[in-house]
Amino acid sequence: MTKEERFGLILKELKASGKVSFEAVASQLQVSEDTARRDIDALSKNGLLVKVRGGAMAPSANPLLFQDREELFSDAKKVIALKALQQLAGCRTVFMDGGTTMLAVAASLPADTRLRVITHNMALVPVLGAHPGVELIVLGGQYDRATQTNLGVQTCLEAARYQADLYLMGVCSADPAAGITAAVAADGEVKKAVLASSLKTLALVNHEKLNTVDFFRVCELAAIDGLITELPSDDPRLDGYRAGGVELV
Amino acid sequence: MTKEERFGLILKELKASGKVSFEAVASQLQVSEDTARRDIDALSKNGLLVKVRGGAMAPSANPLLFQDREELFSDAKKVIALKALQQLAGCRTVFMDGGTTMLAVAASLPADTRLRVITHNMALVPVLGAHPGVELIVLGGQYDRATQTNLGVQTCLEAARYQADLYLMGVCSADPAAGITAAVAADGEVKKAVLASSLKTLALVNHEKLNTVDFFRVCELAAIDGLITELPSDDPRLDGYRAGGVELV
DNA sequence: AGCAAATTTGCAAAACTTTGCAAAAATCTT
DNA sequence: AAGATTTTTGCAAAGTTTTGCAAATTTGCT
């Protein structure tokens, strides 16, 4: 039984049942558990399966393993969320923007947080509504299915009624020269309105969105107070942003 | 049974029924309740579900309605919902009130319906937001966890901006003499505002709420155009209401 | 406010992984 | 073909993670 033969059999089993255990591979292929472990290790290095405690699973078996990892809460989003949480200290009222990054922030809010949150992001309602320390204020408007946010003139007018200590802005595109830009005009308008109602604004930006431009101008970089990315603050990719905005670790 | 396998099964169950309890997970997956709790904790940290007391719910569902669907959609509610649907014919814009009866209406809306719905009921957002024929307009305000609705002055002001063909009012208490009354002042105020913005108002009332009175006066019976209950329209319990409002089968 | 149930926290035992090492097998060199 | 070299294999010790239990705390309800 060569290594390659074993690889084939392991993958076949994985395809059939979605999972394999070191123990089962060892006994079925008549090798020690260590060898089974090493085989599965090699396959995982090639991305053909995902190692888990006790064995391995097909990447598609569960959203945590592969598929939605990028769409839902990627490591980058978690890092950004944690950085954003640190900036919440001392804030009483916070505007939270649309986007799944903001969902990551809301989901990782500690249980003992006391905060007033204003948002037009309907995805946050079940999460923040269940949080005992959060007073949630919803901005109404026309519900946009694609982004799960309320948009439109109503939303902007409502945003103008409130005054927040901090605005956590979810950013579509950021560029040192063009500033913050949005792909949807209605979304950009809401961002402008909220920006005007907040003492301080921090933009949450995935590094992939750095140095990209969309058609709707939200604001200059100078209009925001800080940029939160998953990169360390001394990363060269952030060089162009150091002038106006403050970078955060 | 690895952790990841359990994750997959928990998510599968969540998808099927919309909710999972620690107890059920523990017994079905043959682990202690502590492990079930920790698993669900991990999934919630990744935004794949929302933890609530006793278990967890799908993120798009309503964290506070952690009950059985049968309980939620009692036969009475289903009957009322179907009657209300019939009244929707010809309507272009409808205000939908708070309450689980309204959730039953939203859930039973046929797929080919074309409708503009205005609501402050956050429980409807996941349901109506997914409906391709519904244009959803959300009324903002201060989110009330107990009722899952937005309340307050903002909500009333926003309601006044719109004009609807029909208002489906969810009723707490109805009485021939006292009219419609509410248990929460803020809720009653919103009802009054919406009532003023609608051409026609139908009150949806469970028969258990007939002939009961609460402290906040919403309106006289004469101010509404019809009463929808699960009772047949010639039921003697409705006798006192025939004067001003129209009863519907 | 007070009771009962649910939840969080700390802990130690058990299960699983990693790491380093040496023997066996396969491959290469001359 | 014999010896040297590399790869693979199995083993055991050290290190991590997971798990169930029990105490302490919080929460929801009346």
Side-chain angles (χ1 to χ4, degrees):
Chain A
M1 170 91 57
T2 72
K3 196 159 49 155
E4 281 70 23
E5 275 181 273
R6 293 199 309 267
F7 283 3
L9 289 167
I10 291 171
L11 289 173
K12 191 175 155 196
E13 170 62 19
L14 190 77
K15 207 168 185 180
S17 74
K19 62 170 206 257
V20 288
S21 72
F22 298 129
E23 202 185 346
V25 169
S27 80
Q28 281 176 32
L29 307 192
Q30 295 288 313
V31 290
S32 78
E33 218 163 289
D34 294 72
T35 301
R37 194 178 295 281
R38 271 186 278 243
D39 285 353
I40 287 174
D41 227 36
L43 290 170
S44 92
K45 288 225 166 68
N46 284 313
L48 290 149
L49 45 71
V50 179
K51 257 208 320 183
V52 299
R53 184 160 252 251
M57 299 191 74
S60 57
N62 135 12
L64 269 186
L65 297 179
F66 186 77
Q67 226 169 18
D68 291 12
R69 225 199 153 104
E70 292 187 325
E71 289 170 33
L72 261 152
F73 288 7
S74 64
D75 291 339
K77 284 205 177 84
K78 284 183 192 159
V79 172
I80 293 176
L82 286 175
K83 289 184 185 178
L85 281 183
Q86 289 163 15
Q87 300 298 318
L88 246 47
C91 288
R92 184 76 199 83
T93 304
V94 178
F95 267 117
M96 287 181 70
D97 211 346
T100 52
T101 306
M102 226 48 74
L103 192 58
V105 175
S108 37
L109 214 57
D112 60 353
T113 314
R114 290 280 170 283
L115 204 61
R116 181 181 295 123
V117 177
I118 308 176
T119 190
H120 62 131
N121 187 345
M122 294 295 102
L124 302 185
V125 173
V127 179
L128 294 178
H131 193 298
V134 170
E135 180 188 338
L136 180 62
I137 292 174
V138 175
L139 301 180
Q142 169 130 15
Y143 179 76
D144 178 56
R145 206 189 308 174
T147 59
Q148 291 196 71
T149 55
N150 300 326
L151 298 174
V153 182
Q154 320 302 340
T155 316
C156 297
L157 288 172
E158 275 199 77
R161 292 175 174 283
Y162 300 99
Q163 173 66 38
D165 303 324
L166 181 65
Y167 173 24
L168 294 180
M169 183 194 271
V171 168
C172 295
S173 304
D175 184 87
I180 309 289
T181 47
V184 177
D187 178 42
E189 291 286 5
V190 172
K191 282 181 164 52
K192 289 178 82 160
V194 175
L195 188 59
S197 293
S198 306
L199 282 180
K200 185 176 173 184
T201 297
L202 295 175
L204 278 58
V205 197
N206 189 296
H207 85 272
E208 289 168 5
K209 292 170 178 169
L210 287 173
N211 304 320
T212 63
V213 177
D214 262 310
F215 89 101
F216 188 92
R217 299 194 54 169
V218 176
C219 64
E220 304 290 327
L221 270 189
I224 64 171
D225 302 283
L227 214 61
I228 301 182
T229 77
E230 77 273 32
L231 304 171
S233 61
D234 56 358
D235 192 285
R237 282 169 285 188
L238 293 172
D239 286 346
Y241 298 88
R242 246 174 279 276
V246 186
E247 281 79 50
L248 306 159
V249 179
Chain B
M1 170 90 59
T2 71
K3 196 163 50 151
E4 283 73 15
E5 276 181 85
R6 293 198 309 266
F7 284 179
L9 291 168
I10 291 171
L11 290 173
K12 193 173 154 196
E13 171 61 20
L14 193 76
K15 207 169 185 180
S17 74
K19 73 177 196 339
V20 289
S21 72
F22 297 129
E23 203 184 344
V25 169
S27 79
Q28 280 177 32
L29 307 193
Q30 296 285 312
V31 290
S32 77
E33 216 162 291
D34 295 72
T35 301
R37 199 177 290 282
R38 272 186 278 241
D39 285 353
I40 287 174
D41 230 36
L43 290 170
S44 93
K45 288 234 163 65
N46 281 290
L48 290 145
L49 46 71
V50 176
K51 260 210 314 184
V52 296
R53 181 160 252 247
M57 307 212 52
S60 60
N62 312 296
L64 297 165
L65 298 175
F66 188 62
Q67 317 164 17
D68 285 329
R69 297 203 159 181
E70 295 125 38
E71 206 181 311
L72 200 58
F73 293 155
S74 64
D75 290 340
K77 286 206 177 83
K78 282 181 197 155
V79 171
I80 293 177
L82 287 174
K83 289 185 184 178
L85 281 183
Q86 289 163 15
Q87 299 299 318
L88 247 47
C91 288
R92 184 73 200 88
T93 304
V94 178
F95 267 118
M96 286 180 71
D97 210 345
T100 50
T101 306
M102 227 46 76
L103 192 57
V105 175
S108 37
L109 216 55
D112 60 352
T113 313
R114 289 280 169 283
L115 203 61
R116 182 181 296 124
V117 176
I118 308 176
T119 191
H120 61 132
N121 187 345
M122 294 294 103
L124 302 185
V125 173
V127 179
L128 294 178
H131 193 297
V134 170
E135 179 188 339
L136 181 62
I137 292 175
V138 174
L139 302 180
Q142 170 132 14
Y143 179 75
D144 177 58
R145 208 194 304 179
T147 60
Q148 290 198 90
T149 56
N150 300 326
L151 298 175
V153 182
Q154 321 301 341
T155 316
C156 296
L157 289 172
E158 275 199 77
R161 293 175 173 282
Y162 300 100
Q163 174 65 39
D165 303 325
L166 180 65
Y167 174 24
L168 293 180
M169 182 193 273
V171 168
C172 295
S173 305
D175 183 87
I180 308 290
T181 48
V184 177
D187 178 41
E189 291 286 6
V190 173
K191 281 181 164 53
K192 289 176 82 161
V194 174
L195 189 60
S197 292
S198 306
L199 282 180
K200 183 177 173 183
T201 298
L202 295 175
L204 277 57
V205 197
N206 189 295
H207 84 275
E208 290 167 4
K209 292 169 180 170
L210 287 172
N211 304 320
T212 63
V213 177
D214 262 310
F215 90 101
F216 189 92
R217 298 194 54 168
V218 176
C219 64
E220 302 293 326
L221 270 188
I224 63 170
D225 302 283
L227 214 60
I228 301 182
T229 76
E230 76 273 30
L231 304 171
S233 60
D234 55 359
D235 191 284
R237 282 168 286 187
L238 292 171
D239 286 347
Y241 299 88
R242 246 175 278 275
V246 186
E247 283 79 50
L248 306 157
V249 179

